[in-house]
C-alpha cells in the first residue's frame, strides 16, 4: 500500500500560509527520524475553468510542487493530482460563482487532453479524472461544481419537475438525459486508446508553450513515435514538425467533430482524420486550440539490405518490392515495371541504368564494381534521394498565424 500526504488543492499558495504549513509538516517528519517512509506521494486536486489546465487557482503547477518537495528534503517523493476536472454547462446559482461562465462540451474535452498531456509530461505520475457520472446532489446540496464536471449526464434538471424548471444561467436545461455521454467521455476513451502502451517515463517535451503558446510532446509507443500538439493562441497557427522518419503521417483530432456527445452515433468515425505527406522529414500543418495526434502511418522507406539477383522480399523484409516500386517510377530505368518481390535479371538491369544515371558506376559487373547490386554506395544514394528517414531530432517551427 502507498501513503499519500494530502490537503493541497485549488487555492494552495506555496508562498503563504499553506506553504508555511507544509514546510512545518515536512520538517517535523524529517526530525522524527522514522524507521519507515512517512509518505509516498504528495497529492493535490484542483478544479477550475478550461483554460487553466496547468496550475491551480494560485498559479502553482507540478514544477512548483516538485521543487517544494526538493527544497524541503523530500525530492525523492512523487507529486500526483489525485482529482480534478473542469465543468461543462453553466449554473449561476452556484454559491461560490465557480460556474458563472458558460463552458461547452468542447471546452471540457480540450481541458481533459491538455491537462493530462501537460502534467504527465512534466512529472505527474498519476492524474485521474474526478468523476464519471453526474449526480443530482453533492453532499445533499444542489448547484455545486462537482455536479457538472463528470463525463456522463444524469438527466438533471429535466426542465419540468419542481425545482428543475429552466431558468436563465442554468445550462444545459433540460439536461440531455440520463446516461448520455459528453464529448469528454469519447475524448477520454480516444486518449487512452492512442497512448496506451507508451513509455510515460520518457516523454520528450519538444515545445512547452512558454514562448508562443505552441505545445508539442513526443511519446514513444511500442517503438513508434506519436506526437500530441496544440495551439493556445486565439488564432490558428501554421507550423512545421520536423524529425519525422516516415513517408507520411496520420493526423487525428483529439476531440470528436461534433458540438455535443449526444451527436456521436458511430465512435469509429467520430474524429476528423487526415493523411499528410512528409517531405525531407518535415510535415506542415495548421494548429488550433483542439489538440491533435500525429502518428507515423507508413514504414520508413530507407534501405538497409544489400540487394542482388536471387534475393526476395522474405530475405529482405520487403525491400525488393520497395526497390522495384522506386525504379518503376521512371519508364526509362525500369520499362517493364514488374513488381514481383524477386530480384531477377530485369531488376538488375534497372539498377544498372539507375546507377549510371546517378553517376555511381556504369561498367564492370557485380563482382568487380558492384554494377547491378544495391550495395553501400547505391543504398546511401537511394536513401539520400528519398530522404525519408533523416537523422534529425524532433522540432517544431512556427511560421505565422494561419492566413497571416
Amino acid at each position: 500500500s502507498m501513503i499519500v500526504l494530502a490537503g493541497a488543492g485549488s487555492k494552495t499558495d506555496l508562498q503563504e500560509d499553506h506553504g508555511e504549513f507544509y514546510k512545518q509538516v515536512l520538517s517535523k517528519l524529517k526530525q522524527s527520524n522514522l524507521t519507515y517512509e512517512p509518505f509516498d506521494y504528495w497529492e493535490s486536486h484542483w478544479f477550475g475553468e478550461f483554460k487553466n489546465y496547468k496550475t491551480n487557482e494560485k498559479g502553482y503547477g507540478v514544477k512548483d510542487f516538485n521543487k517544494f518537495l526538493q527544497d524541503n528534503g523530500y525530492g525523492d517523493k512523487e507529486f500526483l493530482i489525485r482529482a480534478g476536472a473542469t465543468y461543462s454547462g453553466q449554473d449561476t446559482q452556484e454559491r461560490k460563482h465557480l460556474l458563472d461562465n458558460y463552458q461547452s462540451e468542447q471546452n471540457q474535452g480540450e481541458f481533459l487532453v491538455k491537462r493530462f498531456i501537460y502534467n504527465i509530461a512534466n512529472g505527474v505520475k498519476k492524474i485521474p479524472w474526478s468523476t464519471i457520472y453526474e449526480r443530482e446532489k453533492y453532499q445533499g446540496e444542489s448547484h455545486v461544481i462537482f455536479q457538472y464536471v463528470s463525463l456522463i449526464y444524469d438527466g438533471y434538471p429535466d426542465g419540468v419537475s419542481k425545482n428543475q424548471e429552466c431558468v436563465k444561467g442554468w445550462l444545459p436545461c433540460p439536461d440531455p438525459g440520463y446516461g448520455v455521454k459528453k464529448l469528454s467521455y469519447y475524448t477520454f476513451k480516444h486518449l487512452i486508446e492512442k497512448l496506451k502502451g507508451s513509455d510515460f517515463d520518457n516523454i520528450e517535451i519538444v515545445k512547452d508553450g512558454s514562448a508562443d503558446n505552441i505545445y508539442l510532446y513526443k511519446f514513444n509507443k511500442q517503438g513508434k513515435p506519436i506526437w500530441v500538439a496544440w495551439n493556445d493562441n486565439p488564432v490558428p497557427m501554421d507550423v512545421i514538425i520536423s524529425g519525422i522518419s516516415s513517408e507520411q503521417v496520420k493526423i487525428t483530432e483529439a476531440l470528436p467533430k461534433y458540438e455535443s456527445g449526444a451527436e456521436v452515433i458511430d465512435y469509429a468515425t467520430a474524429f476528423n482524420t487526415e493523411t499528410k505527406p512528409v517531405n525531407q522529414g518535415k510535415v506542415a500543418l495548421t494548429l488550433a486550440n483542439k489538440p491533435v495526434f500525429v502518428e507515423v502511418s507508413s514504414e520508413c522507406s530507407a534501405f538497409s539490405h544489400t540487394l542482388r539477383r536471387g534475393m526476395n522480399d522474405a530475405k529482405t523484409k520487403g525491400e525488393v518490392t520497395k526497390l522495384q516500386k522506386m525504379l518503376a517510377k521512371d519508364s526509362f530505368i525500369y520499362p517493364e515495371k514488374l513488381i514481383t518481390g524477386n530480384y531477377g535479371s530485369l531488376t538488375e538491369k534497372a539498377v544498372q541504368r539507375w546507377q549510371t544515371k546517378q553517376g555511381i558506376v556504369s561498367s564492370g559487373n557485380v563482382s568487380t564494381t558492384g554494377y547491378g547490386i544495391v550495395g553501400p554506395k547505391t543504398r546511401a544514394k537511394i536513401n539520400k534521394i528519398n530522404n525519408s528517414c533523416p537523422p534529425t531530432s524532433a522540432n517544431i517551427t512556427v511560421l505565422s498565424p494561419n492566413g497571416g
Side-chain angles (χ1 to χ4, degrees), residues 57-74:
E57 290 182 21
K58 297 296 184 180
Y60 293 95
V62 55
K63 295 178 183 179
D64 302 303
F65 284 95
N66 280 332
K67 186 176 186 303
F68 191 91
L69 285 170
Q70 183 73 41
D71 292 344
N72 288 278
Y74 283 98

Side-chain angles (χ1 to χ4, degrees), residues 336-355:
E336 298 83 5
K337 298 182 183 294
L338 296 176
I339 312 300
T340 64
N342 295 300
Y343 199 120
S345 59
L346 295 178
T347 303
E348 182 179 87
K349 289 179 181 178
V351 169
Q352 289 174 339
R353 295 187 193 101
W354 193 86
Q355 289 173 319

